[in-house]
Amino acid sequence: YLADLPNSFNYDLLTQYWSFTSDSRIGSDVDNDLRRNIRLSRSNFSSLMANFHFPPYPENPIIKQYSAEYWILGDLMTPQELRRSSFAKRVFDYHDADVVFVPFFATLSAEMQLIKGKSVFRKKVNENEDYVRQKNLMDLIRSSEAWKRSGGRDHVFVLTDPVAMWHVRDEIAPAILLVVDFGGWYRLDSKASNDSSSNMIQHTQVSLLKDVILPYTHLLPRLHLPENQNRRTLLYFKGAKHRHRGGVVREKLWDLLIDERDVVMEEGFPNATGKEQSIKGMRSSEFCLHPAGDTPTSCRLFDAILSLCIPVIVSDDIELPFEGMVDYSDFSIFVPVSDALQPNWLIRHLRSFSKFQKDALRQSMAHIQPIFEYDNGHPGGIGPVPPDGAVNHVWKKVYQKLPMIKEAIVREKRKPKGVSVPLRCHCT
């Protein structure tokens, strides 16, 4: 069931984004060029968007990498007669629904606020339009009969940007959250720790029991296996050296690898030049390094997969999309941080792989590439989804959560009034 929300929470946000004069952030040149080429004034821009019916999602890589919200909603908005390939069946009465999808472009809302006024992003003030939207959204959703029926446990929110719905995370914690990883969601509850678990992370807001890990939207074009050519570089990485939190490991790896033979470590940014460099670098390298950054994972992993560059994952806390359907060890190399930070260890390890082993990893990777593609090839994202694509795999993972969700709803209903059950999940 698609929650009944005004278009101001989704497609109208896109119209508003395209009406901006410009975006001064890194990587926004592609969208700014589109605005200039159209050469429309604000007065007639809305009529152009009306012709699109559903406006395109931004190409700015900072935003595009989080575009899952656009493609998932596009599937649900597709006319019923064209939805035969979708795993999800849309119903029009919430009583008939297993889950209620909340059609809020939370990432786009957050990113637009960062464009307009980063200084007020974390403040609960009217000048923070993202905060106002979050508040208005929750007022609407919480007042609905569907929310009251389940306490929100069967509601689905897409929160791909780590800062999406920043101000209402406690309110949506019971719901099914579609996130790219759990970075920034964990809380360390010192009161719950004891001598035997002093570093225990309490999953008070997210858990693999109820939530779904999504792939980032890849930014580089797909390389098919017959197009693969000789790869002369052993290991490739392009990105920012200095990151926060888990990114400390990235800095140490950088210093260890920067002078190694057949290794390319490049500072890079998500602009047109950086994209072309990444395409060339990933397609000419045997392995692509994937260290943690501000969060345990990044779009870089899925760009590597689409480039048939074997991922080398150095991120002990990483959560990966569609596990149980996909075995990442079939096409990726997982390296503990403790080993990777030993001088010369990582390079020796990668050089030990034979051509036969690398070819086998790459063949497995080519087989699963479609699983990480959202784009259905239709304008506005409205049209049949590929049966083996990312959107259907998202729906299948949500479906796997249903028994646990339904049990939680039933348990909540039978509790006497005023009785609360403590959060006990310390699961991994």
Side-chain angles (χ1 to χ4, degrees), residues 216-234:
Y216 286 77
T217 303
H218 64 87
L219 302 177
L220 303 187
R222 179 180 176 183
L223 178 69
H224 296 269
L225 191 59
E227 303 169 325
N228 187 54
Q229 298 179 353
N230 290 334
R231 295 171 178 261
R232 299 179 179 178
T233 301
L234 177 69

Side-chain angles (χ1 to χ4, degrees), residues 153-167:
R153 285 175 173 80
D154 58 359
H155 282 53
V156 179
F157 293 84
V158 186
L159 308 173
T160 44
D161 193 315
V163 296
M165 297 195 76
W166 182 275
H167 296 287

Side-chain angles (χ1 to χ4, degrees), residues 164-236:
M165 297 195 76
W166 182 275
H167 296 287
V168 295
R169 290 191 169 190
D170 285 338
E171 295 180 55
I172 63 174
I176 305 166
L177 308 179
L178 311 188
V179 296
V180 291
D181 62 31
F182 289 157
W185 285 86
Y186 289 145
R187 289 179 170 180
L188 180 61
D189 186 351
S190 58
K191 293 180 181 180
S193 346
N194 54 44
D195 292 338
S196 63
S197 59
S198 58
N199 295 318
M200 177 66 74
I201 295 293
Q202 309 300 318
H203 297 206
T204 57
Q205 291 180 314
V206 290
S207 167
L208 288 175
L209 290 176
K210 69 178 184 68
D211 301 321
V212 175
I213 304 295
L214 302 186
Y216 286 77
T217 303
H218 64 87
L219 302 177
L220 303 187
R222 179 180 176 183
L223 178 69
H224 296 269
L225 191 59
E227 303 169 325
N228 187 54
Q229 298 179 353
N230 290 334
R231 295 171 178 261
R232 299 179 179 178
T233 301
L234 177 69
L235 181 64
Y236 178 79

Side-chain angles (χ1 to χ4, degrees), residues 394-411:
V394 171
W395 291 133
K396 289 175 183 178
K397 288 300 289 188
V398 171
Y399 180 75
Q400 290 179 358
K401 311 293 180 182
L402 291 183
M404 192 67 67
I405 300 302
K406 291 179 178 179
E407 181 178 327
I409 293 171
V410 171
R411 292 178 69 247

Side-chain angles (χ1 to χ4, degrees), residues 22-266:
S22 67
D23 177 357
S24 60
R25 298 183 302 171
I26 290 174
S28 59
D29 48 331
V30 61
D31 288 342
N32 291 337
D33 287 345
L34 179 58
R35 293 184 177 99
R36 282 192 293 269
N37 291 337
I38 293 174
R39 295 180 181 175
L40 290 172
S41 66
R42 289 177 181 269
S43 62
N44 57 9
F45 193 92
S46 58
S47 64
L48 175 76
M49 289 295 105
N51 291 333
F52 278 108
H53 188 55
F54 293 97
Y57 207 77
E59 286 294 317
N60 177 354
I62 295 175
I63 306 177
K64 183 179 180 179
Q65 64 180 332
Y66 301 125
S67 64
E69 57 191 13
Y70 181 73
W71 301 107
I72 295 172
L73 179 56
D75 173 40
L76 294 175
M77 295 295 291
T78 297
Q80 290 295 95
E81 63 272 16
L82 299 178
R83 298 195 66 251
R84 295 186 183 92
S85 60
S86 179
F87 184 80
K89 178 182 178 181
R90 182 178 173 185
V91 296
F92 294 86
D93 185 331
Y94 77 86
H95 292 98
D96 299 328
D98 292 308
V99 294
V100 177
F101 185 82
V102 181
F104 178 40
F105 288 168
T107 282
L108 186 61
S109 177
E111 291 293 337
M112 287 171 60
Q113 180 58 48
L114 291 170
I115 294 170
K116 287 186 172 182
K118 188 174 182 179
S119 61
V120 299
F121 179 76
R122 300 196 184 198
K123 298 178 181 178
K124 297 183 178 181
V125 294
N126 287 336
E127 291 78 13
N128 184 346
E129 296 178 12
D130 179 41
Y131 163 70
V132 173
R133 276 190 289 269
Q134 293 176 39
K135 183 177 181 300
N136 291 341
L137 172 75
M138 294 312 299
D139 288 345
L140 285 170
I141 292 295
R142 290 172 67 91
S143 65
S144 70
E145 293 303 314
W147 181 278
K148 293 175 183 177
R149 176 186 70 168
S150 67
R153 285 175 173 80
D154 58 359
H155 282 53
V156 179
F157 293 84
V158 186
L159 308 173
T160 44
D161 193 315
V163 296
M165 297 195 76
W166 182 275
H167 296 287
V168 295
R169 290 191 169 190
D170 285 338
E171 295 180 55
I172 63 174
I176 305 166
L177 308 179
L178 311 188
V179 296
V180 291
D181 62 31
F182 289 157
W185 285 86
Y186 289 145
R187 289 179 170 180
L188 180 61
D189 186 351
S190 58
K191 293 180 181 180
S193 346
N194 54 44
D195 292 338
S196 63
S197 59
S198 58
N199 295 318
M200 177 66 74
I201 295 293
Q202 309 300 318
H203 297 206
T204 57
Q205 291 180 314
V206 290
S207 167
L208 288 175
L209 290 176
K210 69 178 184 68
D211 301 321
V212 175
I213 304 295
L214 302 186
Y216 286 77
T217 303
H218 64 87
L219 302 177
L220 303 187
R222 179 180 176 183
L223 178 69
H224 296 269
L225 191 59
E227 303 169 325
N228 187 54
Q229 298 179 353
N230 290 334
R231 295 171 178 261
R232 299 179 179 178
T233 301
L234 177 69
L235 181 64
Y236 178 79
F237 173 83
K238 185 178 184 64
K241 176 181 178 181
H242 303 289
R243 295 281 84 182
H244 302 293
R245 295 183 286 275
V248 174
V249 172
R250 181 187 296 187
E251 293 187 37
K252 293 179 179 178
L253 278 171
W254 189 292
D255 292 336
L256 283 173
L257 298 171
I258 187 64
D259 294 323
E260 287 285 349
R261 180 173 56 88
D262 297 332
V263 173
V264 176
M265 304 288 289
E266 295 179 336

